[in-house]
C-alpha cells in the first residue's frame, strides 16, 4: 500500500467495509473465549436512518469493536421489527394509490401484498447502517416475523395462556380510529390540547328544573346512561331518590345516581356517565348496572345505535352538536379549556376510550423479579436516574392489552368452536385435537374452527428479542443461547423503557430465569444546536447519509460521540461533523509527515530519548483513563480524551519534539518508537473512527492477507510514572512562557534566545534538551542573581530570565513599561484607599481584608519589578 496525498474518507470507507465483510471479521460462533453480546434495538422495517439511529448505533459499534479488540468473542445481532401499525398503514396507502382498498381483499391477499412490500422496500435501514461502519454479524440478521421468531411468539402465547396469565375479556381500551385497533397504555402520548368546556342543560323529568353538567366531549351525550351527583352535595339533596333527567337532544330518560366518586368542589358537582367511552364512567356503570351504549364505529364515525348523526365524524359532530344545543336552548355556556388529551403514538390521532373484547397479559407476577433485578443492580441502568422512573411504572403496572385489530403480525392462536368456547394451540392441527376433546365431538374438522382475527402487539415479539435471536424459546438448551445469553449491553432510548426494556427483563426471567442484559445505556434525544427536537416538520433533521457523503462516516461518528453523554440530550451541530473530518485529516497528515522522514543509523539524541520516555507515560495514563471511562459508560468522555491525546499531546507536542530539522534524517530508534505510538493510537481510536485507522494501520507495517485492526489487540496500560509526568508539566510551562515572550516582543521563532534560571527543586534540569529545542534556545544558563534587564517569569518557585539586550526596541519597551507602571500604581492607590479606611478594616470580613492586603503586596512587587526593568533599560 501507498497512502494517498489527500484524505478522502469516501474512497476508504466502501473499500474497508467490503474487506471486513469478505474476511468474515464480524461473524461470531461460540468458542472458548469470553462472549460479548449486543442485540440491536430492531428498527422498524419501514424505517429510514435518522439521527437517533446514528447516535444509538455508533455507540453500539464503539462497544462491540472495543470488545472485539479486547479478545472477547464479540457478537452484535442485527435485525428488524415488523412494526404492525406502521407497516400496515404503508401497505394500505400503497394499495390505495393502485386503486385497491384493504376492505376488498381477503386476509391472504392483503398479506401477500404486505410481504411483497417488505421484500421490496423493507430493511433499507440495515443497508444504511453499513455506511456508518456498523460491525454487525450480518449472517445472524433476524426479523420479528420470520419463521423462527413467529414460532417463538406463538409458543410463548400458548405457554402464558396455559399458565393462566393470558385472558380474554371486554375492557375499556385505547382505540385508534385511524389504525382501527386497540393500543396499550404505553402507546398513548398525552399532549396539552386547547378546547372548550361545554355546560349542558339536563332537564329534570317532570319539572322545570335543569341540572348543569360540564363536559369537554359533548358528542358522547349520545351514549349517556346516567347522571351522577355526590350524596353529600347540598345542591342536589332536594331531588327525590328516583329522580331522572333527559339527555339533551337525544331525549333519553336516564337515572340520577349518587356516589361519593363525584368531587363536590369540582365544576357543578354533576357528572354525565357514558360507560362505553370513559374509563371511570365504565367503573360506575359496572357498579350500578348501567346500560352501555357504544356510539362509535371503528373509524371514529357515529354508528346507528342511537339513530341520529349517523356516519358523522366525531369532531365534525362536536361542532354540529354545539350549534344544535344552542338552537334547542340546552347549552348554558362554553369556556376555553386546556386539558391533556391522549394521542396514538403511531398515527398521531386522538384516541377514543372504547369498550372492546381484547386479549390481555396479566403483568403483576411477571413484574416482580424484573423490578427486583433493576432495583438491586443485577441490571445496571446508565444513568441511574432512570431507576426511579422504572420502579414507579413497575409498581403501578397494568395488564397489557396484547391484541391488535390488524392483519400484519402474528395471528393470535385461538380457535373458536361452532357451538361456543375456544381453544388455544400453536397449530391448527393441535387446536383441532383440543377442540374435539372440549366439544366431545370427534367429527369436528378444521373447517368448523374459526381462528381469532386479531394479531399480537408488535412488542409481544420484540420483548423476546434477546432470547429469540438465539432460538432460546424453541430450543432452550441449544449451544448458542447458553453461550451468548445473558447479553452484555443494551443501548436504547428512555422513551421505550416500558414498551421494550421492562418487558424484555420480564421475558428474560420468565423464560431463562436470568436477566436478558447486564447494563442498559440510555441515550438522549438528538436536538438541533438551539435545543429543538429534530423532526421532518421543523426541517431541522439532516439526512445522515448526506452527512456521511459530505464528511465521511468517521467524521459523523466523532460528531455524534463528542456531543453525547449517557441520558443527556445531544445538541447536534453540523460544524461538529466538520470538526470530525478535520480530525481525520489531522491523523492523515500526521502520518504522512512521519512517513516522509528519512532514517539514519545514528545514536538517539537525549531530546528524542526524553520525548519517547514522556509519551510512553502519557499513553499509559490515557489508556487507564479510557479504561475507567468505559467501565462507567462515559463513552463521550473517552472519545474526547483520545481526541486530545492525538491532537494536543502526540501531534502538538511529541511530533514537534522529535521532528528532525528540515532535510535532516531521524534516528532509527526514535522512528521505530514513533511508528509504535502511531500503531497504539490507531488501535485506541479504531472503535470510534474505524475507517481512517484501518487505512493507516495497514500501511504502518507489512500485513498478511486477512489481517485487520478490527481484531488487533487493544494496547494495555502499564504502571504510570506520575513523577515524570508532573516534571514534564513544568517543562511545558517553561516552553509556553518563552513562546509568550516572543509573541509579546515580536521576536521571530527562528531567532534563538538564551534562558537563565535560578535553579531550585522545581527546575526540571533533566529535560533541559527538550526545553532547548522546543523554545529554540542557544543555551540554558544557571544564575544566582536576578537580571533586571531581562524579561522574567516564574514557574512554581523557579525564576527564569530571558535577556533581550539588543533584540528589542528600547524606546517602545520603556513606553510599554511606563504604561504598565501607571496602571499598577493606580491599582495600588485604589487598594490603599480601602485599607486606609478604618471602618472598612474593622467591619469587613477578615477574608475580604486579607484579600485586599494580598492585592497590595502583589501590586507593590510588580511595581518594584517594573522600576528595576526601567532602571536597567536606562
Amino acid at each position: 500500500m501507498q497512502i494517498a496525498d489527500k484524505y478522502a474518507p469516501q474512497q476508504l470507507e466502501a473499500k474497508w467495509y467490503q474487506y471486513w465483510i469478505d474476511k468474515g471479521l464480524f461473524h461470531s460462533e461460540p468458542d472458548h473465549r469470553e462472549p460479548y453480546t449486543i442485540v440491536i434495538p430492531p428498527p422498524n422495517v419501514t424505517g429510514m436512518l435518522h439521527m437517533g439511529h446514528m447516535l444509538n448505533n455508533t455507540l453500539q459499534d464503539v462497544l462491540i469493536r472495543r470488545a472485539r479488540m479486547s479478545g472477547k468473542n464479540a457478537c452484535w445481532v442485527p435485525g428488524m421489527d415488523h412494526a404492525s401499525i406502521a407497516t400496515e398503514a404503508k401497505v394500505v396507502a400503497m394499495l390505495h394509490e393502485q386503486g385497491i382498498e384493504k376492505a376488498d381483499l381477503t386476509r391472504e391477499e392483503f398479506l401477500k401484498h404486505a410481504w411483497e412490500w417488505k421484500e421490496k422496500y423493507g430493511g433499507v435501514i440495515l443497508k444504511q447502517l453499513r455506511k456508518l461502519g456498523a460491525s454487525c454479524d450480518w449472517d445472524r440478521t433476524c426479523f420479528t416475523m420470520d419463521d423462527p421468531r413467529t414460532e417463538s411468539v406463538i409458543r410463548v402465547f400458548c405457554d402464558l395462556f396455559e399458565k393462566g396469565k393470558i385472558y380474554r375479556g371486554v375492557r375499556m381500551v385505547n382505540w385508534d380510529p385511524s389504525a382501527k385497533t386497540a393500543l396499550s397504555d404505553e402507546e398513548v402520548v398525552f399532549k396539552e390540547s386547547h378546547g372548550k368546556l361545554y355546560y349542558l342543560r339536563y332537564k329534570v323529568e317532570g319539572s322545570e328544573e335543569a341540572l348543569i353538567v360540564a363536559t369537554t366531549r359533548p358528542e358522547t351525550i349520545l351514549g349517556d346512561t346516567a347522571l351522577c351527583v355526590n350524596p353529600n352535595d347540598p345542591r342536589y339533596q332536594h331531588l327525590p331518590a328516583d329522580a331522572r333527567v333527559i339527555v339533551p337532544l337525544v331525549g333519553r330518560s336516564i337515572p340520577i345516581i349518587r356516589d361519593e366518586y363525584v368531587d363536590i368542589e369540582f365544576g357543578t358537582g354533576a357528572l354525565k356517565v357514558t360507560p362505553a367511552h370513559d374509563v371511570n364512567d365504565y367503573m360506575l356503570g359496572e357498579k350500578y348496572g348501567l346500560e352501555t351504549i357504544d356510539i362509535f364505529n371503528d373509524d371514529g364515525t357515529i354508528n346507528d345505535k342511537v339513530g341520529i348523526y349517523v356516519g358523522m365524524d366525531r369532531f365534525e359532530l362536536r361542532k354540529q352538536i354545539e350549534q344544535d344545543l344552542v338552537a334547542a336552548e340546552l347549552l348554558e355556556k362554553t369556556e376555553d379549556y386546556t386539558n391533556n388529551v391522549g394521542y396514538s403514538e403511531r398515527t398521531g390521532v386522538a384516541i377514543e376510550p372504547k369498550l372492546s373484547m381484547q386479549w390481555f397479559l396479566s403483568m403483576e407476577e411477571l413484574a416482580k423479579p424484573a423490578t427486583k433485578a433493576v432495583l438491586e443492580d443485577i441490571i445496571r441502568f446508565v444513568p441511574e436516574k432512570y431507576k426511579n422512573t422504572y420502579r414507579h411504572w413497575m409498581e403501578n403496572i397494568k395488564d397489557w392489552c396484547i391484541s391488535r385489530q390488524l392483519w400484519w403480525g402474528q395471528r393470535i392462536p385461538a380457535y373458536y368452536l361452532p357451538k361456543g368456547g375456544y381453544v388455544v394451540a400453536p397449530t391448527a392441527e393441535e387446536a383441532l385435537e383440543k377442540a374435539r376433546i372440549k366439544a366431545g365431538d370427534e367429527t369436528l374438522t378444521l373447517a368448523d374452527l374459526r381462528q381469532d382475527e386479531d394479531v399480537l402487539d408488535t412488542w409481544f415479539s420484540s420483548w423476546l428479542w434477546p432470547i429469540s435471536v438465539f432460538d432460546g424459546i424453541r430450543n432452550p438448551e441449544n449451544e448458542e443461547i447458553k453461550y451468548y445469553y445473558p447479553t452484555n449491553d443494551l443501548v436504547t432510548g428512555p422513551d421505550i423503557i416500558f414498551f421494550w426494556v421492562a418487558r424484555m427483563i420480564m421475558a428474560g426471567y420468565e423464560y431463562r430465569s436470568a436477566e436478558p442484559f447486564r447494563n442498559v445505556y440510555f441515550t438522549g434525544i438528538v436536538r438541533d444546536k438551539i435545543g429543538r427536537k429534530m423532526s421532518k416538520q421543523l426541517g431541522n433533521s439532516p439526512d445522515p447519509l448526506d452527512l456521511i457523503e459530505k464528511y465521511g462516516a468517521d467524521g459523523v461518528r466523532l460528531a455524534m460521540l463528542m456531543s453525547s453523554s449517557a441520558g443527556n440530550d445531544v445538541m447536534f451541530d453540523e460544524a461538529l461533523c466538520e470538526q470530525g473530518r478535520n480530525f481525520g485529516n489531522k491523523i492523515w497528515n500526521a502520518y504522512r509527515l512521519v512517513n516522509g522522514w528519512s532514517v539514519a543509523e545514528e545514536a538517539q539524541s537525549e531530546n528524542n530519548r526524553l520525548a519517547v520516555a514522556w509519551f510512553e507515560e502519557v499513553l499509559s495514563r490515557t489508556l487507564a483513563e479510557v479504561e475507567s471511562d468505559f467501565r462507567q459508560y462515559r463513552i463521550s468522555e473517552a472519545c474526547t480524551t483520545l481526541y486530545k491525546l492525538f491532537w494536543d499531546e502526540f501531534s502538538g507536542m511529541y511530533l514537534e519534539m522529535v521532528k528532525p530539522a528540515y532535510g535532516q534524517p531521524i534516528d532509527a530508534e526514535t522512528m521505530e518508537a514513533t511508528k509504535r505510538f502511531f500503531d497504539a493510537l490507531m488501535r485506541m481510536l479504531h472503535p470510534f473512527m474505524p475507517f481512517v485507522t484501518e487505512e493507516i494501520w495497514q500501511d504502518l507495517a507489512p500485513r498478511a492477507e486477512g489481517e485487520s485492526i478490527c481484531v488487533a489487540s487493544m494496547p494495555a496500560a502499564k504502571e504510570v510514572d506520575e513523577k515524570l509526568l508532573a516534571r514534564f508539566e513544568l517543562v511545558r510551562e517553561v516552553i509556553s512562557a518563552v513562546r509568550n515572550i516572543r509573541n509579546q516582543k515580536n521576536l521571530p521563532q527562528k531567532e534563538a534566545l538564551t534562558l537563565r534560571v535560578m535553579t531550585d527543586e522545581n527546575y526540571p534540569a533533566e529535560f533541559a534538551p527538550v526545553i532547548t529545542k522546543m523554545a529554540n534556545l542557544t543555551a540554558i544558563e544557571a544564575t544566582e542573581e536576578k537580571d533586571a534587564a531581562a524579561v522574567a517569569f516564574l514557574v512554581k518557585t523557579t525564576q527564569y530570565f530571558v535577556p533581550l539586550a539588543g533584540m528589542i526596541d528600547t524606546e517602545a519597551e520603556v513606553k510599554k513599561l511606563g504604561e504598565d507602571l501607571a496602571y499598577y500604581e493606580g491599582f495600588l492607590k485604589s487598594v490603599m484607599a480601602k485599607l486606609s479606611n478604618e471602618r472598612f478594616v474593622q467591619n469587613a470580613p477578615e477574608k475580604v481584608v486579607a484579600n485586599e492586603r494580598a492585592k497590595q503586596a502583589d501590586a507593590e512587587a510588580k511595581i518594584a519589578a517594573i522600576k528595576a526593568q526601567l532602571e536597567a533599560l536606562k
Side-chain angles (χ1 to χ4, degrees), residues 419-453:
K419 293 181 180 175
Y422 62 88
V423 293
V424 168
T427 65
E429 290 72 27
E430 288 172 77
L432 181 59
E433 282 179 38
K434 284 188 171 185
R436 284 172 175 169
I437 294 165
K438 185 165 187 167
D441 182 355
E442 284 297 317
T443 66
L444 282 179
T445 66
L446 279 177
D448 297 321
L449 301 184
R450 179 179 60 83
Q451 189 177 351
D452 197 300
E453 291 291 323

Side-chain angles (χ1 to χ4, degrees), residues 361-415:
L361 174 57
S362 176
M363 302 297 274
E364 194 176 347
E365 289 304 312
L366 288 170
K368 285 176 184 173
T371 307
K372 185 180 175 206
V374 172
L375 296 187
E376 294 182 1
D377 289 327
I378 296 163
I379 297 171
R380 176 181 165 205
F381 278 9
V382 182
E384 266 203 7
K385 65 182 179 182
Y386 289 111
K387 276 171 74 172
N388 282 335
T389 313
Y390 179 87
R391 179 185 58 78
H392 178 75
W393 185 75
M394 293 294 270
E395 288 175 356
N396 296 280
I397 199 162
K398 292 178 183 169
D399 288 356
W400 176 10
C401 175
I402 55 172
S403 45
R404 296 290 178 272
Q405 289 63 55
L406 301 164
W407 283 349
W408 176 251
Q410 280 101 3
R411 193 170 178 181
I412 289 175
Y415 298 81

Side-chain angles (χ1 to χ4, degrees), residues 49-52 54 526-529 534-536 538-548 551 556 560 572-574 577:
L49 197 66
H50 59 60
M51 297 305 286
M54 291 286 282
V526 183
R527 300 182 180 276
D528 65 17
K529 61 185 176 185
M534 286 189 169
S535 69
K536 285 180 185 173
L538 286 173
N540 63 344
S541 182
D543 182 332
L545 295 180
D546 290 347
L547 292 176
I548 289 171
Y551 301 105
V556 179
M560 300 305 300
F572 182 79
D573 183 350
E574 196 170 320
C577 294

